[in-house]
Amino acid sequence: MSSATNRQNILQLMRNRELNDHIRTKYALKSHLHYKCISKLGLFTQLHHPRCVNCIQWNESGSTLLSVCNNNQVVLWDPFLKKVKTTFTTSHCDRIYSFIPGCNDDVVATGGGDQRSYTYNVTTGKQLSSCICSEGVIKRLAVANDSPSVYWCASEDGYISQHDTRMSHKCLTDKSKTTLVTIYNNLGKKIKANCLDINPLKTEQLAVGANDQYVRLYDRRMIQWLPSLVENYFSGYDGYNINDALQYFVPGHIRSNDNEKKQENDNTISYLTFSPDGQELLVSYNCGNVYLFNLLNRSDNAFFNIPKYMEIARENMEDSATDLIDDQVPVSHSTPPDNVVHLKLKVRIIQYYSAAIALYNEAINIHKCCELFLNRAAAYINRKFFGDFYAALKDCVTALKLEPNHMKAQIQLAECLFQMAMLNESKMYLDQLTMKSPSYETCSAYKSLYSNLLNAQSNNKEAFYGKKLQTSNVLDVLDAEQSQKISFEKYFQKHSKDYQHRYFGHKNYFSEEANFFGSRNQFIVAGSDDGFIFVWEKNTENNLLILQSDDNNIVRCIQPHPSEFLLATNSVDTKVKLWSPLPDNMDNPFKMNDYSIRDRSDQREMICDQLKIIFAGVFSSSSST
């Protein structure tokens, strides 16, 4: 959004709303959405149901909140009058896992554990269509704003199906007429489809989350030609860009390989959603964090960007790593702004790592320089949360792009590889550094790391020297179709793109949803298994607010209102809660004022060693040696 747009007053925004349909639901937030509203977010009201609530969803205009009870009854609420508009009972004989209001607000589609999907007229409750083709639980439905009569289902039988309510439908054993795509894993086996979403602005884009680590982004217009595109690519014809038809995304530290034995539901995708502007994809992982993927500027995996001096062989990275500059290049160091210097002073008195990382997040959002990235990387290494070593590696790679011959960045990168159990790669990287610059051997950080590597060598020689894989060419013993599926998956997994931001702190095993929030999607919200609601700032990844929804009750769903500063949540109980900014003179009993205590309980305290307090004093223009 341009600076001119940011300066528009409410009258200009209302005028633009008449001319530009895309911003019709955004102008209402523009005049009053700021950080104070986040800090004042509290319980507005509760909507009571006769039975436990399974899922909730706003209609497109936000005039109605729909909820489903575990008696499979759909309730339509006027959230502002806190009254029920109407209810109707569905034909499902098992729990409803997902439902969607159509874009014209007249039709609702439902899907559930009985492997069936239905559509209903919301006014009369009349059933309009039914489908019993699925052989698995239907976990999630989606609809496109330009095709309100078409909806898509993700089901546990591994199929993404497409249904057009304008066409007569007979459920057949042959699923080819409704199947849009089938999801396979890297062994060529069909896996569960857990969730899906349609890009609101580029409705040809379909995102799918399945029972593995990879987000699949399809162009629906090209799915039927995808096998031939892949075949042409593998045969050497590069006239097509197959990544326009399909692109995989995965956080670099949780990608899988053929020899990994992942437990079911371990870091699998539970929910995903496009940003309202269609440029980003937010993904929630079971037992993991929430990740943001940028669809316009897609990031390569950090391992592909590790600098090297010579031809260092690394599996799946040979053609991607870049050579470091041979000659020392002087780097001009700009003076950090005063607010960054102020953050530096605050870091010096911090007593735990997460708070230091939050300050560095804020500083990097203002001023990007090598030392800030390295300081944050050191904090990640010492904190040791899930994904922290990889986040540190990303910071080291970024720092070396800014200053290619920075000694501390190079040593710290090798430390990241070591901490991620990539012992062979870490030693090779150190060996190449000392071959080019023998003076590195006198560095205390180098000596310490190299000593740790030698100890690892004696304790685990197989891991240190690299495992010799027993590859009797597994593809040869499979049939041609299975081999093709494996080759297909291997290609797209190898070329998967990395995350841009990571949000953590909540407990996410049974809670599912995370969503964008704010007039410019500047906040991220998610529920937690322990009854908390988390709000993060999108760009800095910093936690701004934690609300206590229910003691020990899982916050399963969290749905922002399309145009008002209003959140709807439901836990494993009979209530839907609406959250809105409270008056200044009203206490907020649900707000966790000192949530740093919760964070400190999940990590060890900082060791008061100047070398381990994330180089807090290093903001000066130190030379790269």
Side-chain angles (χ1 to χ4, degrees), residues 483-520:
S483 298
Q484 186 179 27
K485 292 174 183 175
I486 292 176
S487 297
F488 181 94
E489 286 298 315
K490 282 182 176 293
Y491 171 82
F492 285 103
Q493 290 182 12
K494 180 179 177 181
H495 292 81
S496 58
K497 299 300 181 180
D498 203 2
Y499 72 88
Q500 184 180 35
H501 293 295
R502 177 177 64 123
Y503 311 96
F504 63 91
H506 65 312
K507 297 178 181 179
N508 178 28
Y509 188 86
F510 298 103
S511 57
E512 295 178 354
E513 295 183 356
N515 266 297
F516 295 91
F517 191 39
S519 58
R520 298 186 303 278

mmCIF file of all heavy atoms in Angstrom, residues 483-520:
data_model
loop_
_atom_site.group_PDB
_atom_site.id
_atom_site.type_symbol
_atom_site.label_atom_id
_atom_site.label_comp_id
_atom_site.label_asym_id
_atom_site.label_seq_id
_atom_site.Cartn_x
_atom_site.Cartn_y
_atom_site.Cartn_z
ATOM 1 N N SER A 483 6.753 -45.237 -9.613
ATOM 2 C CA SER A 483 8.031 -44.546 -9.802
ATOM 3 C C SER A 483 7.815 -43.116 -10.273
ATOM 4 O O SER A 483 8.513 -42.193 -9.863
ATOM 5 C CB SER A 483 8.886 -45.305 -10.816
ATOM 6 O OG SER A 483 9.177 -46.606 -10.357
ATOM 7 N N GLN A 484 6.836 -42.934 -11.151
ATOM 8 C CA GLN A 484 6.549 -41.589 -11.655
ATOM 9 C C GLN A 484 6.043 -40.680 -10.540
ATOM 10 O O GLN A 484 6.424 -39.509 -10.459
ATOM 11 C CB GLN A 484 5.513 -41.670 -12.778
ATOM 12 C CG GLN A 484 5.246 -40.337 -13.464
ATOM 13 C CD GLN A 484 4.231 -40.476 -14.583
ATOM 14 O OE1 GLN A 484 3.377 -41.357 -14.566
ATOM 15 N NE2 GLN A 484 4.320 -39.600 -15.581
ATOM 16 N N LYS A 485 5.209 -41.226 -9.647
ATOM 17 C CA LYS A 485 4.697 -40.429 -8.529
ATOM 18 C C LYS A 485 5.839 -40.015 -7.609
ATOM 19 O O LYS A 485 5.885 -38.871 -7.134
ATOM 20 C CB LYS A 485 3.653 -41.231 -7.754
ATOM 21 C CG LYS A 485 2.364 -41.483 -8.522
ATOM 22 C CD LYS A 485 1.452 -42.414 -7.737
ATOM 23 C CE LYS A 485 0.192 -42.744 -8.532
ATOM 24 N NZ LYS A 485 -0.655 -43.740 -7.824
ATOM 25 N N ILE A 486 6.772 -40.952 -7.352
ATOM 26 C CA ILE A 486 7.899 -40.631 -6.482
ATOM 27 C C ILE A 486 8.785 -39.564 -7.115
ATOM 28 O O ILE A 486 9.212 -38.613 -6.454
ATOM 29 C CB ILE A 486 8.706 -41.906 -6.168
ATOM 30 C CG1 ILE A 486 7.873 -42.858 -5.302
ATOM 31 C CG2 ILE A 486 10.011 -41.572 -5.464
ATOM 32 C CD1 ILE A 486 8.529 -44.180 -5.026
ATOM 33 N N SER A 487 9.068 -39.710 -8.408
ATOM 34 C CA SER A 487 9.885 -38.712 -9.110
ATOM 35 C C SER A 487 9.205 -37.348 -9.094
ATOM 36 O O SER A 487 9.852 -36.313 -8.912
ATOM 37 C CB SER A 487 10.126 -39.157 -10.554
ATOM 38 O OG SER A 487 10.852 -40.363 -10.599
ATOM 39 N N PHE A 488 7.890 -37.348 -9.279
ATOM 40 C CA PHE A 488 7.097 -36.121 -9.242
ATOM 41 C C PHE A 488 7.258 -35.435 -7.894
ATOM 42 O O PHE A 488 7.567 -34.236 -7.816
ATOM 43 C CB PHE A 488 5.638 -36.483 -9.513
ATOM 44 C CG PHE A 488 4.691 -35.315 -9.532
ATOM 45 C CD1 PHE A 488 4.366 -34.689 -10.720
ATOM 46 C CD2 PHE A 488 4.090 -34.860 -8.362
ATOM 47 C CE1 PHE A 488 3.470 -33.628 -10.733
ATOM 48 C CE2 PHE A 488 3.214 -33.795 -8.370
ATOM 49 C CZ PHE A 488 2.903 -33.180 -9.573
ATOM 50 N N GLU A 489 7.050 -36.205 -6.799
ATOM 51 C CA GLU A 489 7.152 -35.635 -5.463
ATOM 52 C C GLU A 489 8.575 -35.168 -5.156
ATOM 53 O O GLU A 489 8.777 -34.112 -4.567
ATOM 54 C CB GLU A 489 6.709 -36.658 -4.420
ATOM 55 C CG GLU A 489 5.209 -36.883 -4.369
ATOM 56 C CD GLU A 489 4.454 -35.630 -4.004
ATOM 57 O OE1 GLU A 489 4.870 -34.924 -3.057
ATOM 58 O OE2 GLU A 489 3.438 -35.336 -4.664
ATOM 59 N N LYS A 490 9.565 -35.954 -5.553
ATOM 60 C CA LYS A 490 10.954 -35.578 -5.281
ATOM 61 C C LYS A 490 11.301 -34.256 -5.949
ATOM 62 O O LYS A 490 11.991 -33.410 -5.363
ATOM 63 C CB LYS A 490 11.902 -36.676 -5.772
ATOM 64 C CG LYS A 490 11.986 -37.886 -4.865
ATOM 65 C CD LYS A 490 12.968 -38.884 -5.407
ATOM 66 C CE LYS A 490 13.129 -40.059 -4.445
ATOM 67 N NZ LYS A 490 13.773 -39.658 -3.187
ATOM 68 N N TYR A 491 10.827 -34.065 -7.158
ATOM 69 C CA TYR A 491 11.141 -32.816 -7.858
ATOM 70 C C TYR A 491 10.557 -31.619 -7.116
ATOM 71 O O TYR A 491 11.267 -30.648 -6.820
ATOM 72 C CB TYR A 491 10.600 -32.843 -9.296
ATOM 73 C CG TYR A 491 10.709 -31.491 -9.954
ATOM 74 C CD1 TYR A 491 11.898 -31.074 -10.533
ATOM 75 C CD2 TYR A 491 9.638 -30.596 -9.952
ATOM 76 C CE1 TYR A 491 12.021 -29.826 -11.102
ATOM 77 C CE2 TYR A 491 9.742 -29.342 -10.520
ATOM 78 C CZ TYR A 491 10.943 -28.961 -11.092
ATOM 79 O OH TYR A 491 11.074 -27.709 -11.640
ATOM 80 N N PHE A 492 9.265 -31.664 -6.793
ATOM 81 C CA PHE A 492 8.619 -30.498 -6.196
ATOM 82 C C PHE A 492 9.059 -30.275 -4.747
ATOM 83 O O PHE A 492 9.136 -29.135 -4.289
ATOM 84 C CB PHE A 492 7.097 -30.634 -6.291
ATOM 85 C CG PHE A 492 6.575 -30.391 -7.683
ATOM 86 C CD1 PHE A 492 6.187 -31.447 -8.485
ATOM 87 C CD2 PHE A 492 6.513 -29.110 -8.196
ATOM 88 C CE1 PHE A 492 5.726 -31.231 -9.762
ATOM 89 C CE2 PHE A 492 6.056 -28.876 -9.486
ATOM 90 C CZ PHE A 492 5.657 -29.950 -10.271
ATOM 91 N N GLN A 493 9.347 -31.357 -4.029
ATOM 92 C CA GLN A 493 9.852 -31.183 -2.672
ATOM 93 C C GLN A 493 11.237 -30.550 -2.683
ATOM 94 O O GLN A 493 11.554 -29.708 -1.850
ATOM 95 C CB GLN A 493 9.869 -32.531 -1.951
ATOM 96 C CG GLN A 493 8.485 -33.053 -1.628
ATOM 97 C CD GLN A 493 8.510 -34.367 -0.870
ATOM 98 O OE1 GLN A 493 9.550 -34.801 -0.389
ATOM 99 N NE2 GLN A 493 7.357 -35.017 -0.753
ATOM 100 N N LYS A 494 12.076 -30.973 -3.630
ATOM 101 C CA LYS A 494 13.417 -30.403 -3.723
ATOM 102 C C LYS A 494 13.370 -28.921 -4.063
ATOM 103 O O LYS A 494 14.217 -28.139 -3.611
ATOM 104 C CB LYS A 494 14.216 -31.157 -4.781
ATOM 105 C CG LYS A 494 15.644 -30.627 -4.967
ATOM 106 C CD LYS A 494 16.385 -31.428 -6.021
ATOM 107 C CE LYS A 494 17.796 -30.862 -6.259
ATOM 108 N NZ LYS A 494 18.530 -31.615 -7.301
ATOM 109 N N HIS A 495 12.379 -28.506 -4.839
ATOM 110 C CA HIS A 495 12.279 -27.104 -5.263
ATOM 111 C C HIS A 495 11.273 -26.317 -4.423
ATOM 112 O O HIS A 495 10.786 -25.272 -4.860
ATOM 113 C CB HIS A 495 11.883 -27.036 -6.740
ATOM 114 C CG HIS A 495 12.942 -27.540 -7.678
ATOM 115 N ND1 HIS A 495 13.123 -28.874 -7.930
ATOM 116 C CD2 HIS A 495 13.888 -26.885 -8.393
ATOM 117 C CE1 HIS A 495 14.127 -29.038 -8.782
ATOM 118 N NE2 HIS A 495 14.611 -27.847 -9.065
ATOM 119 N N SER A 496 10.959 -26.812 -3.232
ATOM 120 C CA SER A 496 10.010 -26.111 -2.383
ATOM 121 C C SER A 496 10.609 -24.805 -1.866
ATOM 122 O O SER A 496 11.817 -24.657 -1.722
ATOM 123 C CB SER A 496 9.591 -27.004 -1.209
ATOM 124 O OG SER A 496 10.723 -27.390 -0.464
ATOM 125 N N LYS A 497 9.746 -23.855 -1.570
ATOM 126 C CA LYS A 497 10.139 -22.533 -1.088
ATOM 127 C C LYS A 497 9.989 -22.441 0.431
ATOM 128 O O LYS A 497 9.216 -23.170 1.044
ATOM 129 C CB LYS A 497 9.302 -21.446 -1.776
ATOM 130 C CG LYS A 497 9.476 -21.415 -3.299
ATOM 131 C CD LYS A 497 10.923 -21.160 -3.700
ATOM 132 C CE LYS A 497 11.086 -21.095 -5.213
ATOM 133 N NZ LYS A 497 12.486 -20.843 -5.606
ATOM 134 N N ASP A 498 10.720 -21.511 1.001
ATOM 135 C CA ASP A 498 10.851 -21.411 2.453
ATOM 136 C C ASP A 498 9.906 -20.349 3.020
ATOM 137 O O ASP A 498 9.344 -19.527 2.296
ATOM 138 C CB ASP A 498 12.298 -21.072 2.799
ATOM 139 C CG ASP A 498 12.680 -21.485 4.208
ATOM 140 O OD1 ASP A 498 11.828 -22.073 4.900
ATOM 141 O OD2 ASP A 498 13.816 -21.225 4.612
ATOM 142 N N TYR A 499 9.794 -20.361 4.340
ATOM 143 C CA TYR A 499 8.934 -19.383 4.999
ATOM 144 C C TYR A 499 9.618 -18.022 5.101
ATOM 145 O O TYR A 499 10.843 -17.905 5.060
ATOM 146 C CB TYR A 499 8.533 -19.878 6.392
ATOM 147 C CG TYR A 499 9.627 -19.868 7.432
ATOM 148 C CD1 TYR A 499 9.874 -18.742 8.208
ATOM 149 C CD2 TYR A 499 10.409 -20.991 7.676
ATOM 150 C CE1 TYR A 499 10.867 -18.715 9.185
ATOM 151 C CE2 TYR A 499 11.401 -20.994 8.658
ATOM 152 C CZ TYR A 499 11.619 -19.860 9.393
ATOM 153 O OH TYR A 499 12.604 -19.839 10.357
ATOM 154 N N GLN A 500 8.805 -16.987 5.266
ATOM 155 C CA GLN A 500 9.312 -15.635 5.478
ATOM 156 C C GLN A 500 9.272 -15.259 6.956
ATOM 157 O O GLN A 500 10.197 -14.633 7.463
ATOM 158 C CB GLN A 500 8.495 -14.623 4.668
ATOM 159 C CG GLN A 500 9.020 -13.196 4.767
ATOM 160 C CD GLN A 500 8.198 -12.213 3.952
ATOM 161 O OE1 GLN A 500 6.986 -12.352 3.838
ATOM 162 N NE2 GLN A 500 8.856 -11.221 3.362
ATOM 163 N N HIS A 501 8.206 -15.643 7.652
ATOM 164 C CA HIS A 501 8.064 -15.317 9.077
ATOM 165 C C HIS A 501 7.574 -16.544 9.836
ATOM 166 O O HIS A 501 6.893 -17.414 9.279
ATOM 167 C CB HIS A 501 7.085 -14.160 9.288
ATOM 168 C CG HIS A 501 7.565 -12.850 8.759
ATOM 169 N ND1 HIS A 501 8.665 -12.181 9.266
ATOM 170 C CD2 HIS A 501 7.087 -12.062 7.752
ATOM 171 C CE1 HIS A 501 8.849 -11.056 8.601
ATOM 172 N NE2 HIS A 501 7.910 -10.956 7.680
ATOM 173 N N ARG A 502 7.895 -16.554 11.133
ATOM 174 C CA ARG A 502 7.519 -17.652 12.023
ATOM 175 C C ARG A 502 6.938 -17.074 13.308
ATOM 176 O O ARG A 502 7.495 -16.148 13.893
ATOM 177 C CB ARG A 502 8.750 -18.510 12.337
ATOM 178 C CG ARG A 502 8.513 -19.636 13.317
ATOM 179 C CD ARG A 502 9.791 -20.470 13.491
ATOM 180 N NE ARG A 502 10.865 -19.693 14.080
ATOM 181 C CZ ARG A 502 11.506 -20.019 15.193
ATOM 182 N NH1 ARG A 502 11.177 -21.122 15.837
ATOM 183 N NH2 ARG A 502 12.482 -19.274 15.663
ATOM 184 N N TYR A 503 5.808 -17.647 13.762
ATOM 185 C CA TYR A 503 5.138 -17.166 14.973
ATOM 186 C C TYR A 503 4.987 -18.349 15.936
ATOM 187 O O TYR A 503 4.538 -19.424 15.541
ATOM 188 C CB TYR A 503 3.768 -16.577 14.625
ATOM 189 C CG TYR A 503 3.837 -15.606 13.475
ATOM 190 C CD1 TYR A 503 3.557 -16.021 12.170
ATOM 191 C CD2 TYR A 503 4.227 -14.286 13.666
ATOM 192 C CE1 TYR A 503 3.651 -15.140 11.100
ATOM 193 C CE2 TYR A 503 4.318 -13.402 12.602
ATOM 194 C CZ TYR A 503 4.036 -13.835 11.318
ATOM 195 O OH TYR A 503 4.137 -12.976 10.262
ATOM 196 N N PHE A 504 5.375 -18.143 17.172
ATOM 197 C CA PHE A 504 5.386 -19.238 18.122
ATOM 198 C C PHE A 504 5.005 -18.736 19.503
ATOM 199 O O PHE A 504 4.869 -17.539 19.737
ATOM 200 C CB PHE A 504 6.781 -19.885 18.171
ATOM 201 C CG PHE A 504 7.856 -18.958 18.650
ATOM 202 C CD1 PHE A 504 8.176 -18.870 19.990
ATOM 203 C CD2 PHE A 504 8.526 -18.142 17.758
ATOM 204 C CE1 PHE A 504 9.148 -18.006 20.430
ATOM 205 C CE2 PHE A 504 9.509 -17.264 18.189
ATOM 206 C CZ PHE A 504 9.819 -17.194 19.532
ATOM 207 N N GLY A 505 4.866 -19.670 20.417
ATOM 208 C CA GLY A 505 4.498 -19.361 21.795
ATOM 209 C C GLY A 505 3.260 -20.110 22.219
ATOM 210 O O GLY A 505 3.092 -20.444 23.401
ATOM 211 N N HIS A 506 2.385 -20.376 21.259
ATOM 212 C CA HIS A 506 1.172 -21.101 21.591
ATOM 213 C C HIS A 506 1.424 -22.608 21.519
ATOM 214 O O HIS A 506 2.427 -23.068 20.965
ATOM 215 C CB HIS A 506 0.057 -20.716 20.621
ATOM 216 C CG HIS A 506 0.301 -21.119 19.201
ATOM 217 N ND1 HIS A 506 1.484 -20.875 18.547
ATOM 218 C CD2 HIS A 506 -0.485 -21.786 18.313
ATOM 219 C CE1 HIS A 506 1.417 -21.359 17.318
ATOM 220 N NE2 HIS A 506 0.238 -21.917 17.157
ATOM 221 N N LYS A 507 0.514 -23.364 22.087
ATOM 222 C CA LYS A 507 0.570 -24.818 22.022
ATOM 223 C C LYS A 507 -0.444 -25.275 20.986
ATOM 224 O O LYS A 507 -1.634 -24.999 21.122
ATOM 225 C CB LYS A 507 0.266 -25.427 23.394
ATOM 226 C CG LYS A 507 1.291 -25.045 24.453
ATOM 227 C CD LYS A 507 0.936 -25.635 25.813
ATOM 228 C CE LYS A 507 1.963 -25.224 26.861
ATOM 229 N NZ LYS A 507 1.621 -25.757 28.205
ATOM 230 N N ASN A 508 0.050 -25.975 19.984
ATOM 231 C CA ASN A 508 -0.805 -26.243 18.835
ATOM 232 C C ASN A 508 -0.757 -27.716 18.473
ATOM 233 O O ASN A 508 0.046 -28.152 17.664
ATOM 234 C CB ASN A 508 -0.341 -25.391 17.644
ATOM 235 C CG ASN A 508 -1.165 -25.671 16.404
ATOM 236 O OD1 ASN A 508 -2.312 -26.040 16.507
ATOM 237 N ND2 ASN A 508 -0.569 -25.515 15.242
ATOM 238 N N TYR A 509 -1.614 -28.469 19.099
ATOM 239 C CA TYR A 509 -1.804 -29.853 18.687
ATOM 240 C C TYR A 509 -3.267 -30.079 18.311
ATOM 241 O O TYR A 509 -3.561 -30.612 17.258
ATOM 242 C CB TYR A 509 -1.393 -30.819 19.798
ATOM 243 C CG TYR A 509 -1.380 -32.264 19.343
ATOM 244 C CD1 TYR A 509 -0.254 -32.799 18.736
ATOM 245 C CD2 TYR A 509 -2.492 -33.082 19.513
ATOM 246 C CE1 TYR A 509 -0.245 -34.116 18.305
ATOM 247 C CE2 TYR A 509 -2.490 -34.405 19.079
ATOM 248 C CZ TYR A 509 -1.363 -34.914 18.476
ATOM 249 O OH TYR A 509 -1.359 -36.224 18.039
ATOM 250 N N PHE A 510 -4.187 -29.621 19.160
ATOM 251 C CA PHE A 510 -5.611 -29.764 18.876
ATOM 252 C C PHE A 510 -6.201 -28.469 18.316
ATOM 253 O O PHE A 510 -7.187 -28.509 17.592
ATOM 254 C CB PHE A 510 -6.371 -30.184 20.137
ATOM 255 C CG PHE A 510 -5.938 -31.518 20.677
ATOM 256 C CD1 PHE A 510 -5.124 -31.606 21.789
ATOM 257 C CD2 PHE A 510 -6.333 -32.692 20.057
ATOM 258 C CE1 PHE A 510 -4.719 -32.825 22.287
ATOM 259 C CE2 PHE A 510 -5.934 -33.922 20.546
ATOM 260 C CZ PHE A 510 -5.121 -33.994 21.664
ATOM 261 N N SER A 511 -5.645 -27.322 18.703
ATOM 262 C CA SER A 511 -6.099 -26.072 18.107
ATOM 263 C C SER A 511 -5.653 -26.055 16.651
ATOM 264 O O SER A 511 -4.604 -26.574 16.304
ATOM 265 C CB SER A 511 -5.530 -24.876 18.855
ATOM 266 O OG SER A 511 -4.127 -24.927 18.886
ATOM 267 N N GLU A 512 -6.455 -25.459 15.795
ATOM 268 C CA GLU A 512 -6.188 -25.582 14.371
ATOM 269 C C GLU A 512 -5.888 -24.247 13.695
ATOM 270 O O GLU A 512 -4.920 -24.124 12.963
ATOM 271 C CB GLU A 512 -7.397 -26.237 13.669
ATOM 272 C CG GLU A 512 -7.647 -27.679 14.106
ATOM 273 C CD GLU A 512 -8.868 -28.280 13.441
ATOM 274 O OE1 GLU A 512 -9.582 -27.530 12.737
ATOM 275 O OE2 GLU A 512 -9.111 -29.485 13.611
ATOM 276 N N GLU A 513 -6.722 -23.257 13.945
ATOM 277 C CA GLU A 513 -6.736 -22.107 13.053
ATOM 278 C C GLU A 513 -5.777 -20.998 13.481
ATOM 279 O O GLU A 513 -5.531 -20.767 14.661
ATOM 280 C CB GLU A 513 -8.163 -21.547 12.965
ATOM 281 C CG GLU A 513 -9.133 -22.514 12.321
ATOM 282 C CD GLU A 513 -10.515 -21.929 12.176
ATOM 283 O OE1 GLU A 513 -10.759 -20.797 12.643
ATOM 284 O OE2 GLU A 513 -11.370 -22.607 11.594
ATOM 285 N N ALA A 514 -5.249 -20.322 12.468
ATOM 286 C CA ALA A 514 -4.520 -19.063 12.617
ATOM 287 C C ALA A 514 -4.976 -18.177 11.465
ATOM 288 O O ALA A 514 -5.241 -18.672 10.365
ATOM 289 C CB ALA A 514 -3.010 -19.288 12.560
ATOM 290 N N ASN A 515 -5.064 -16.870 11.705
ATOM 291 C CA ASN A 515 -5.616 -15.990 10.680
ATOM 292 C C ASN A 515 -4.946 -14.624 10.678
ATOM 293 O O ASN A 515 -4.310 -14.217 11.661
ATOM 294 C CB ASN A 515 -7.128 -15.802 10.898
ATOM 295 C CG ASN A 515 -7.952 -16.781 10.081
ATOM 296 O OD1 ASN A 515 -7.904 -16.750 8.851
ATOM 297 N ND2 ASN A 515 -8.677 -17.649 10.763
ATOM 298 N N PHE A 516 -5.121 -13.936 9.553
ATOM 299 C CA PHE A 516 -4.700 -12.545 9.439
ATOM 300 C C PHE A 516 -5.724 -11.671 10.147
ATOM 301 O O PHE A 516 -6.911 -11.991 10.214
ATOM 302 C CB PHE A 516 -4.609 -12.132 7.969
ATOM 303 C CG PHE A 516 -3.546 -12.846 7.191
ATOM 304 C CD1 PHE A 516 -3.822 -14.030 6.524
ATOM 305 C CD2 PHE A 516 -2.249 -12.339 7.124
ATOM 306 C CE1 PHE A 516 -2.848 -14.691 5.802
ATOM 307 C CE2 PHE A 516 -1.265 -12.992 6.407
ATOM 308 C CZ PHE A 516 -1.559 -14.167 5.738
ATOM 309 N N PHE A 517 -5.237 -10.528 10.643
ATOM 310 C CA PHE A 517 -6.106 -9.618 11.369
ATOM 311 C C PHE A 517 -5.619 -8.203 11.114
ATOM 312 O O PHE A 517 -4.408 -7.949 11.083
ATOM 313 C CB PHE A 517 -6.061 -9.937 12.862
ATOM 314 C CG PHE A 517 -7.106 -9.236 13.696
ATOM 315 C CD1 PHE A 517 -8.392 -9.053 13.230
ATOM 316 C CD2 PHE A 517 -6.802 -8.770 14.978
ATOM 317 C CE1 PHE A 517 -9.357 -8.428 14.005
ATOM 318 C CE2 PHE A 517 -7.745 -8.144 15.769
ATOM 319 C CZ PHE A 517 -9.031 -7.974 15.277
ATOM 320 N N GLY A 518 -6.548 -7.271 10.924
ATOM 321 C CA GLY A 518 -6.183 -5.869 10.716
ATOM 322 C C GLY A 518 -6.493 -5.382 9.316
ATOM 323 O O GLY A 518 -6.589 -6.149 8.369
ATOM 324 N N SER A 519 -6.606 -4.075 9.170
ATOM 325 C CA SER A 519 -6.977 -3.482 7.885
ATOM 326 C C SER A 519 -5.925 -3.708 6.820
ATOM 327 O O SER A 519 -6.229 -3.712 5.632
ATOM 328 C CB SER A 519 -7.208 -1.977 8.063
ATOM 329 O OG SER A 519 -6.032 -1.370 8.587
ATOM 330 N N ARG A 520 -4.664 -3.890 7.224
ATOM 331 C CA ARG A 520 -3.581 -4.165 6.275
ATOM 332 C C ARG A 520 -2.957 -5.526 6.564
ATOM 333 O O ARG A 520 -1.815 -5.762 6.205
ATOM 334 C CB ARG A 520 -2.522 -3.059 6.350
ATOM 335 C CG ARG A 520 -3.044 -1.678 5.983
ATOM 336 C CD ARG A 520 -1.932 -0.639 5.918
ATOM 337 N NE ARG A 520 -1.204 -0.545 7.174
ATOM 338 C CZ ARG A 520 -1.607 0.154 8.231
ATOM 339 N NH1 ARG A 520 -2.768 0.793 8.184
ATOM 340 N NH2 ARG A 520 -0.873 0.201 9.335
#
